[in-house]
Amino acid sequence: MTTLPATGGAAPATAGANRLLLRAAGRARGWTALVAAAALADAVAAVLLPYALARAIDAVPPGGAPAAAAVWPCVALVVVSAVAEVLSELSTGCAAARSTAWLRHTLVRHVLAVGPALRVPPGDVAGRVVGGAAEAGVAPAAAPEAAVGLLPAAGALVALFLIDWRVALAIAVALPAIFLLLRAFVRDISATAHRYLTVQGTIAGRLAEALAGCRTIAAAGTVDRETGRVLEPLPGLRAEGETMWRVQGGIAARGLLALLLLQIAAVGVAGAELAAGRVSPGELVAIVQYTALAAGFGPVLTQLLRLGRARAGAARAAEVLALPAPTHGGESLPSGPGRLDFRGVTAASGVLDGLDLTVPGGLAVAVTGRAGTSELAALAGRLADPDQGEVLLDGTPLPHLARAELRREIGYAFARPALFGGTVQDALAFGPSRPPAAWLRESARAARADDFIRRLPRGYATPLADAPMSGGELQRMGLARAFAHAGRVLVLDDATSSLDTVTELQITDALLDRLADRTRLIITHRASTAARADLVAWLEDGRVRALAPHAKLWDDPDYRVLFGGAR
């Protein structure tokens, strides 16, 4: 079982989020560079424009018009700023799209690689992949824009010192308080955004559960109760959303107040300097504009907000990526009959405890017992790994095999199969390779699925969405798919439990005759199925109590009880 790690501390989560954001930025490096270049050009233009305006104002002769040579630099700087903003919008969108796409591909690939061991609600995973990745994807653009956004303030402070050091000193005294304000904002908004996305994921997870069981909910008449359960965390979501806006509003209000006070102080000092003849009228105008640049952190605040939400989304993505996925070797299987060996296997928190079992190649071995049968089936094809011990196929440990080799040689049919593909035929063909259409139809006939498939509106070409199926029909589809992709081992995990007795006997005939040269591991709780297998592995207390033909085991009253018989 693989679950999300408990949040043991902010530092590891932050480090993982930062590393993930750096990797995402690497995928959009060209667009990120353009974002930085455009932001830098805009910042330079913003710093130079007040100086150009001051030159233009001071160049106006008494009662005359300003010289064209003094006006054109202002026009050029405005054009540069406009072009930079257009390029910034374009590159920001492209950078976010590239990094978001990479994050989603990485998350989906890892989630599917973790596979059945993942124990995270599907809705929560979907929220992290869709919403969380989109939040994190803005970081490659937001980070350079936030960093470059500080340059106008630094440039303005330098310009003020060049114009009049007294004005610059009055403003410089207050700037550290503004930077501390920004730092507190980043910390608070990141934590709040993470909690907001977590609650959002909880709601999505519960909704996915409810949608999966919508027929049961409707039949039980518990719509209102389930609605309440799904939306129970909604007040928490609202509270975190209000906290985000409150933090943002509080910072913005304090920042605006600081800006007004700084401007008042700067204008007062600049007015005194103008009266003393130490600054010109144009320089007075420049001082007012440079003061706004030095203390105006609105654009920086916006980017920091985006970064805070990006770090929260990246932290939730990093939690998923931290879950271990099985690794595969590169070995190929030697020729062999498909013998499976379970050696000292302990798994599923002791459900299997030191189990030893050899499934002879080419035989049908039924597995039955009160517990551990499905766990054994999962281990047989490495849908799960044992906590201790090992599983071998024809003498090769399963982890040593290449993924493609493993999936080609060990096939599965499940009690509740999931169908994928556009049409019914696509669903049967779903697997490591696509068998010919004739083979798919032959497999459907062996699984007693051909008749009901042909009755569908377009037969095998019927879209899956237009092919409603009962539980038994769904199982037959799963069996047909398994038959079509059978390698040297076929594992049936209670795959005939929804079939009527006649159909189950017919499919067992096909399983025993059509696939007689394959190893078949059949998880079953039906005496009729066990009776037709070559051997029965009887599990008890996490181990194999007996491995023998059904007829021999039937003499044991404990064995008969497994199938509802008397002692």
Side-chain angles (χ1 to χ4, degrees):
M1 178 183 295
T2 303
T3 56
L4 290 176
T7 305
T14 300
N18 291 341
R19 285 193 297 270
L20 188 60
L21 291 178
L22 286 174
R23 292 173 62 194
R27 297 289 171 161
R29 63 175 67 92
W31 291 111
T32 303
L34 184 56
V35 170
L40 182 60
D42 195 20
V44 171
V47 172
L48 293 179
L49 185 58
Y51 172 74
L53 286 173
R55 291 282 306 275
I57 293 171
D58 290 338
V60 178
V71 173
W72 280 114
C74 299
V75 174
L77 288 171
V78 170
V79 170
V80 168
S81 180
V83 172
E85 288 185 7
V86 171
L87 288 176
S88 178
E89 288 295 325
L90 171 65
S91 54
T92 295
C94 292
R98 288 288 298 274
S99 56
T100 299
W102 176 80
L103 280 167
R104 285 175 175 161
H105 277 87
T106 301
L107 278 169
V108 170
R109 187 164 54 247
H110 188 76
V111 165
L112 295 180
V114 174
L118 182 67
R119 295 294 186 269
V120 183
D124 189 8
V125 173
R128 294 169 192 257
V129 171
V130 179
E135 295 282 5
V138 305
E145 287 187 341
V148 174
L150 297 174
L151 294 181
L157 197 58
V158 171
L160 287 171
F161 268 107
L162 294 175
I163 294 172
D164 191 289
W165 65 269
R166 298 171 185 83
V167 178
L169 184 62
I171 294 174
V173 170
L175 286 181
I178 294 177
F179 287 122
L180 289 175
L181 203 64
L182 292 176
R183 182 180 178 184
F185 172 74
V186 173
R187 182 187 65 245
D188 294 344
I189 204 68
S190 295
T192 302
H194 188 278
R195 292 193 298 269
Y196 182 89
L197 293 175
T198 299
V199 177
Q200 198 174 55
T202 300
I203 294 175
R206 294 184 180 185
L207 179 60
E209 292 173 1
L211 290 174
C214 59
R215 291 195 300 175
T216 301
I217 293 170
T222 57
V223 172
D224 292 339
R225 187 192 309 167
E226 283 302 302
T227 301
R229 186 183 71 86
V230 171
L231 299 180
E232 182 185 7
L234 202 56
L237 188 70
R238 176 182 176 182
E240 295 300 341
E242 289 177 347
T243 299
M244 277 198 295
W245 288 113
R246 188 164 55 251
V247 170
Q248 185 179 0
I251 295 290
R254 290 193 289 272
L256 180 60
L257 179 61
L259 174 61
L260 291 175
L261 292 176
L262 281 175
Q263 285 183 319
I264 292 171
V267 170
V269 175
E273 295 297 287
L274 178 65
R278 286 190 286 268
V279 298
S280 67
E283 288 174 334
L284 176 63
V285 172
I287 286 172
V288 173
Q289 292 187 325
Y290 279 132
T291 302
L293 280 178
F297 55 90
V300 177
L301 188 68
T302 299
Q303 300 307 326
L304 290 178
L305 173 63
R306 296 173 71 194
L307 272 177
R309 293 178 65 91
R311 289 176 73 188
R316 285 171 52 77
E319 289 173 354
V320 173
L321 293 176
L323 301 178
T327 58
H328 295 268
E331 295 184 21
S332 298
L333 275 174
S335 59
R339 186 185 76 253
L340 279 171
D341 289 297
F342 298 82
R343 297 178 179 174
V345 168
T346 296
S349 301
V351 174
L352 298 178
D353 184 12
L355 177 140
D356 291 302
L357 172 65
T358 294
V359 179
L363 297 186
V365 177
V367 181
T368 191
R370 291 187 177 86
T373 54
S374 288
E375 287 77 10
L376 186 73
L379 294 173
R382 211 184 168 211
L383 297 183
D385 284 327
D387 301 324
Q388 295 178 13
E390 61 179 352
V391 183
L392 302 91
L393 175 58
D394 285 326
T396 303
L398 296 187
H400 293 185
L401 294 175
R403 183 197 299 270
E405 183 87 355
L406 178 66
R407 294 298 155 224
R408 183 170 57 249
E409 295 297 344
I410 303 179
Y412 274 91
F414 301 103
R416 291 182 294 276
L419 301 182
F420 300 94
T423 66
V424 171
Q425 182 161 299
D426 291 338
L428 295 177
F430 186 81
S433 61
R434 188 178 181 92
W439 182 247
L440 294 176
R441 285 171 169 74
E442 175 60 29
S443 298
R445 283 191 288 271
R448 297 301 184 266
D450 182 70
D451 288 344
F452 80 79
I453 291 175
R454 291 186 180 278
R455 289 196 298 268
L456 293 173
R458 295 172 59 187
Y460 284 85
T462 303
L464 274 180
D466 299 333
M469 299 179 194
S470 66
E473 290 170 340
L474 193 62
Q475 280 198 341
R476 281 181 272 169
M477 284 287 294
L479 286 162
R481 180 176 61 194
F483 290 173
H485 296 280
R488 64 178 80 181
V489 177
L490 181 61
V491 182
L492 275 64
D493 188 2
D494 224 10
T496 60
S497 57
S498 296
L499 304 180
D500 61 82
T501 303
V502 173
T503 304
E504 192 245 351
L505 288 173
Q506 292 172 335
I507 292 175
T508 302
D509 285 338
L511 183 65
L512 297 177
D513 298 336
R514 185 174 182 268
L515 302 172
D517 59 335
R518 316 295 172 91
T519 301
R520 289 138 293 163
L521 192 67
I522 307 168
I523 309 302
T524 185
H525 300 285
R526 289 184 174 181
S528 58
T529 301
R532 307 191 69 190
D534 298 307
L535 294 170
V536 177
W538 175 12
L539 302 189
E540 187 171 273
D541 297 329
R543 300 190 178 190
V544 177
R545 176 167 169 173
L547 177 65
H550 173 79
K552 181 177 180 180
L553 294 176
W554 193 252
D555 293 333
D556 191 323
D558 291 340
Y559 180 75
R560 292 197 299 270
V561 168
L562 294 175
F563 305 103
R567 283 186 176 274

